Amino acid sequence: MQLRYNFRLYPTAGQRLALAKAFGCARVVFNDGLRLRQQAHEQGLPYLSDGDLFKRMITQAKKTPERAWLGEVSAVVLQQALADLNTAFRNFFASVSGKRKGPKMAPPRFRSRKDTRQTVRFTRNARFAITTGGKLRLPKIGEVTLRWSRDLPSEPSSVTVTKDASGRYFASFVVETGDEPLPEATSQIGVDLGLTHFAVLSDGRKIDNPRFLRRAERRLKKVQKALSRKAKGSANRRKAVVKVAKAHAGVADARRDHHHKLSTAIIRDDQTVYVEDLAVNGLARTRLAKSVHDVGWSAFVDMLEYKAARSGRTFAKVGRFLPSSQTCSVCFVVDGPKPLSVREWTCGACQTTHDQDVNASRIVLAAGRAERRNACGGTVRPAA
């Protein structure tokens, strides 16, 4: 399994200038390649192959006076920019032809120097290295200070240097890792995700919704109001933009930290995890959009999935059309729809009083067990 390990970089002023050149050269090569293919398509010419694009955009372009400054950065950075362009075109063609599942992919767009996120990638061909002093040596940039929070499990195959909107630099290493199975547990858990509580587990535990964005609204309002008062194009406005980006980055970091800790605890304690497959895209178009984006269900479910695969746990999603809030978890009789204001209800068949969220998580667990038995060859219908 390939995983990314992300670390904070602290480049010096000269190294920040060198990285800015690398970001700019990679962006120019990407845009030139995209423009060339668009022009060929408009003129009815054959599609430019990847090899021809590499030759014209890098080898030949360096010999021209207009693009001679491309030689100031590592050639691998330029090659990886064109590789990203080729991948974007392949994904677009696969989506148009129906070979790629999921939502339709748009064609690649031009990159802007005003994009909030700038990246360059170095592969092993670039001969990047980690020094004995713990610094990251990058070609034509130098040894950059790195803040290590953990050790890499193996030799990295590539490193991506990223600058975000708040001006922070990160190094993302791609490493090949093996599975690290945890001791086998006996418990199985169903997880019901919501807005009042972030997660309700089938054993009765309720995880509060931290509401990171809501809690930071006062701070965000202050910095955004200060931004709106700055003159466009001024140095003070650029500083205010960075302050707004840092405030949003703090919210995103806190949310990601919460998701990682909770998902790790669930995977560590439970052998099997079942989660309802929510239609997040649809919910994000309702009046609850702000709360849905704040809670971050999709990122949390993705963490559960890859951590379960690595730890030898079982993870499965239950269909989104399951009437988990209408079905009794004792007698499994569908009691009918109920408004969101009803948090407790009594089953009309067995007279059992249920907590709405706990009952839903138990239905998710029961449905996940039933689907797993069917997938393993069990009988679809119970014995008479």
Side-chain angles (χ1 to χ4, degrees), residues 1-8 146-154 156 158-160 170-178 180 306 310:
M1 177 184 294
Q2 283 189 340
L3 291 179
R4 283 190 176 272
Y5 282 68
N6 210 31
F7 303 94
R8 184 78 181 270
L146 194 68
R147 181 66 57 85
W148 293 100
S149 57
R150 51 185 171 170
D151 295 331
L152 294 177
S154 62
S158 68
V159 59
T160 302
F170 295 92
S172 177
F173 296 93
V174 176
V175 296
E176 191 72 30
T177 62
E180 297 181 357
Y306 88 79
R310 192 184 182 198

Side-chain angles (χ1 to χ4, degrees), residues 320-332:
R320 65 186 57 170
F321 299 107
L322 174 73
S324 57
S325 60
Q326 306 175 21
T327 308
C328 175
S329 59
V330 176
C331 63
F332 298 102

Side-chain angles (χ1 to χ4, degrees), residues 124-150:
R124 287 176 178 170
N125 294 335
R127 297 181 181 178
F128 71 90
I130 300 172
T131 65
T132 54
K135 293 186 176 182
L136 176 62
R137 182 185 296 121
L138 298 173
K140 296 191 177 182
I141 294 175
E143 296 183 359
V144 187
T145 302
L146 194 68
R147 181 66 57 85
W148 293 100
S149 57
R150 51 185 171 170

Side-chain angles (χ1 to χ4, degrees), residues 182-189 201 203 205 207 261-273 304 307 311 313-314:
L182 295 172
E184 188 171 349
T186 58
S187 61
Q188 299 182 1
I189 206 77
L201 309 183
D203 58 5
R205 288 179 291 166
I207 311 299
K261 289 179 179 178
L262 180 58
S263 59
T264 299
I266 292 176
I267 295 300
R268 182 186 63 239
D269 298 337
D270 303 294
Q271 182 66 30
T272 307
V273 180
L304 284 176
K307 290 180 181 180
S311 303
R313 302 303 200 206
T314 302

Side-chain angles (χ1 to χ4, degrees), residues 164 166 168 170 212-213 215-216 219-220 242-258 294:
D164 64 6
S166 61
R168 300 180 301 176
F170 295 92
F212 294 107
L213 182 61
R215 286 161 48 187
R219 168 65 178 164
L220 290 171
V242 173
K243 288 183 179 180
V244 173
K246 286 183 178 180
H248 280 286
V251 174
D253 291 345
R255 183 187 297 114
R256 190 182 306 110
D257 180 69
H258 171 264
D294 185 16

